Amino acid sequence: KTLYGRTSSLAYDAQSRSSERFHNQPNQQRIKDEWRERWNLPPTTVSASRSVLASTIHENETASALENVKSKPIYTFGIITDIQYAPIPDGHSYNGTPRYYRHALIAAEHAARHFEDEKVHCVVGLGDIVDGKCADVERWGGNLGEFRKDGDAKRELDESEREKINYRVGHDAMDDVVKALSSYKNGKILHTYGNHELYC
């Protein structure tokens, strides 16, 4: 590995010494310290005469580190991705993967409760909280009637009305997912956009 045009290997320094000189046991510690000084690293402090003490210190540090691992972590976060909720019957993705579109809200609620129970400091949503099929729910077996605001389920919708309702479906679906995640209150939920949000 080269650093500023020089080798950073302890085994060989082309400018001042050969590998044979480095491996000469009496010079080894001094050469290490010279190398560390050149690169502004703290000097080594363990010599052969203090190997027993060094071993004890190492064991104590290891035990302390293991104890810290067992204690409460400094920061925790939850990850949730690809909820892909849509108000349509179960089906398949474009590549044939089974999709449980409505059930996705229940899964999101479960995840939010888990994050709240665990008291994670924040949750990161990695996108695709809704499925792109929200943009045309009738095509995928959904019912536009449940999204009508005029209450007249019998009246035939014209094309512009269908377009407006389809547009609203995706936004309403995002609101439904945000509501499903609302039981997490211990911190913020940070959302990113996925491609499916852009289809809606």
Side-chain angles (χ1 to χ4, degrees):
K1 180 177 173 182
T2 301
L3 185 63
Y4 301 113
R6 300 179 183 177
T7 179
S8 62
S9 169
L10 288 177
Y12 180 75
D13 185 334
Q15 290 195 350
S16 59
R17 61 186 63 87
S18 68
S19 60
E20 290 82 6
R21 184 179 171 195
F22 172 79
H23 289 293
N24 184 350
Q25 203 64 27
N27 292 330
Q28 194 173 25
Q29 188 64 45
R30 181 179 58 77
I31 293 168
K32 283 182 183 178
D33 288 339
E34 286 176 7
W35 181 87
R36 295 177 73 81
E37 184 180 346
R38 182 191 312 164
W39 299 109
N40 295 321
L41 298 171
T44 56
T45 56
V46 179
S47 65
S49 63
R50 289 153 55 192
S51 60
V52 174
L53 176 61
S55 176
T56 304
I57 291 171
H58 177 71
E59 286 173 11
N60 290 341
E61 287 176 347
T62 302
S64 175
L66 287 173
E67 199 58 40
N68 287 338
V69 168
K70 293 175 188 174
S71 66
K72 190 175 180 180
I74 296 171
Y75 194 85
T76 57
F77 59 93
I79 298 285
I80 191 164
T81 187
D82 294 284
I83 297 169
Q84 293 190 232
Y85 165 67
I88 58 175
D90 294 341
H92 295 83
S93 68
Y94 294 107
N95 65 3
T97 304
R99 290 274 189 245
Y100 307 99
Y101 296 106
R102 290 183 186 269
H103 179 76
L105 282 184
I106 298 169
E109 288 172 6
H110 177 78
R113 284 196 303 271
H114 174 74
F115 294 143
E116 180 64 20
D117 291 344
E118 292 293 319
K119 298 297 179 198
V120 298
H121 293 94
C122 81
V123 172
V124 180
L126 299 181
D128 289 349
I129 64 172
V130 294
D131 193 276
K133 291 177 181 178
C134 288
D136 191 358
V137 293
E138 280 189 312
R139 178 182 174 193
W140 303 106
N143 179 12
L144 275 188
E146 60 185 287
F147 301 97
R148 293 177 68 154
K149 293 192 174 178
D150 60 9
D152 186 0
K154 294 181 180 178
R155 185 176 63 82
E156 187 70 26
L157 295 169
D158 63 33
E159 195 57 38
S160 66
E161 286 176 311
R162 287 177 186 280
E163 195 173 305
K164 285 177 185 176
I165 293 174
N166 271 316
Y167 176 79
R168 196 170 66 241
V169 169
H171 289 252
D172 288 351
M174 290 182 208
D175 289 342
D176 291 341
V177 175
V178 170
K179 184 178 177 183
L181 296 172
S182 65
S183 59
Y184 171 72
K185 301 181 187 305
N186 194 59
K188 291 184 176 181
I189 300 181
L190 308 174
H191 289 285
T192 59
Y193 286 105
N195 59 311
H196 284 264
E197 283 87 353
L198 301 180
Y199 301 151
C200 298

